[in-house]
Amino acid sequence: MRGFALGYERLCRIVLLVFVVNVAFVAHTLAGLVVVGLFPSVSASYATYRTWALDADQSWGVRRSWTVFHRAWRDDITSANAFGWPQMLVVVLLLWDYFLANSNAMGVLGIAVSGILLLVNVLVLLICAVSWAVRSNFDERPWWVIRMSVAMVIARPLLTVIVAALVVTVAAAWIKWPGILMTFGLGVPIFLIVMAVYSFGGLPGMDAHENAH
């Protein structure tokens, strides 16, 4: 019974953490007028979850969660935007190409091109999702982070499959229960991605197995 109570308390604290991160995400994004505040909020979310995962005392309250997020956001405004907006441009261009490939009747060739573009889009989105977790763990240049993220997505298929499955599951939950999106926003998928990288990514300094020992 005590184990159940402790597990329930831990779950409640995780729910509170994700909720606070989502509120902080929205508030700080608006504080940066979206254009300036969006990607620092993404970066701060990853950094907050990483800090929480590595903390020996994970019984964070609202104040602790908000403080960690705000400091990470404040310290990363310039570099997070420099890292995030080029990614956004690449993703938008690839999605536009995929849209064009599906909007024009090109026969068998069109189907092949559409399939290739779909695969490329999925891989790029997975690399982008993982890259923010890698970036939160290493103080390296953007190209180093991207190369490491590409290597992880290719060399760690279990991690790639888990991240993809988690994102699809969250998207399905958003569609079925829109209240989850309204209440927890991007806080849920980012938390799950960080936990997946922490558990299966094998990153030095951000490895659940290493931390356990």
Side-chain angles (χ1 to χ4, degrees):
M1 192 66 182
R2 183 174 181 274
F4 174 80
L6 291 174
Y8 181 74
E9 180 186 2
R10 177 176 172 79
L11 176 62
C12 290
R13 288 191 178 276
I14 291 175
V15 171
L16 177 62
L17 170 68
V18 175
F19 175 75
V20 173
V21 167
N22 180 52
V23 173
F25 186 104
V26 174
H28 285 74
T29 299
L30 294 177
L33 301 178
V34 180
V35 175
V36 176
L38 174 60
F39 288 112
S41 294
V42 172
S43 176
S45 299
Y46 277 87
T48 301
Y49 290 140
R50 175 189 177 276
T51 303
W52 175 85
L54 297 177
D55 196 343
D57 179 14
Q58 296 181 337
S59 57
W60 287 19
V62 173
R63 182 176 181 179
R64 172 69 169 155
S65 303
W66 186 278
T67 300
V68 172
F69 185 100
H70 177 71
R71 287 176 179 170
W73 184 89
R74 180 192 61 197
D75 295 340
D76 201 26
I77 292 178
T78 302
S79 56
N81 280 304
F83 186 74
W85 283 111
Q87 282 189 350
M88 176 67 80
L89 178 61
V90 171
V91 169
V92 169
L93 289 175
L94 286 173
L95 290 175
W96 178 248
D97 286 342
Y98 180 69
F99 171 77
L100 290 178
N102 284 278
S103 300
N104 297 281
M106 296 186 294
V108 177
L109 177 61
I111 295 174
V113 171
S114 177
I116 293 172
L117 286 173
L118 176 60
L119 177 60
V120 171
N121 273 279
V122 171
L123 287 175
V124 168
L125 289 172
L126 287 171
I127 291 167
C128 289
V130 170
S131 70
W132 289 96
V134 174
R135 184 176 178 276
S136 73
N137 192 59
F138 297 106
D139 184 17
E140 298 286 350
R141 294 181 179 276
W143 277 115
W144 187 95
V145 173
I146 294 298
R147 289 197 301 271
M148 172 64 79
S149 303
V150 172
M152 288 181 64
V153 169
I154 295 174
R156 294 177 172 81
L158 177 60
L159 171 65
T160 303
V161 170
I162 289 173
V163 170
L166 290 173
V167 172
V168 170
T169 301
V170 170
W174 283 350
I175 295 172
K176 187 173 181 61
W177 301 292
I180 296 177
L181 175 60
M182 297 299 295
T183 305
F184 298 103
L186 291 177
V188 173
I190 293 176
F191 175 80
L192 294 176
I193 291 168
V194 171
M195 291 303 102
V197 172
Y198 177 64
S199 301
F200 304 100
L203 291 178
M206 190 180 172
D207 185 358
H209 305 290
E210 176 187 271
N211 197 40
H213 292 87

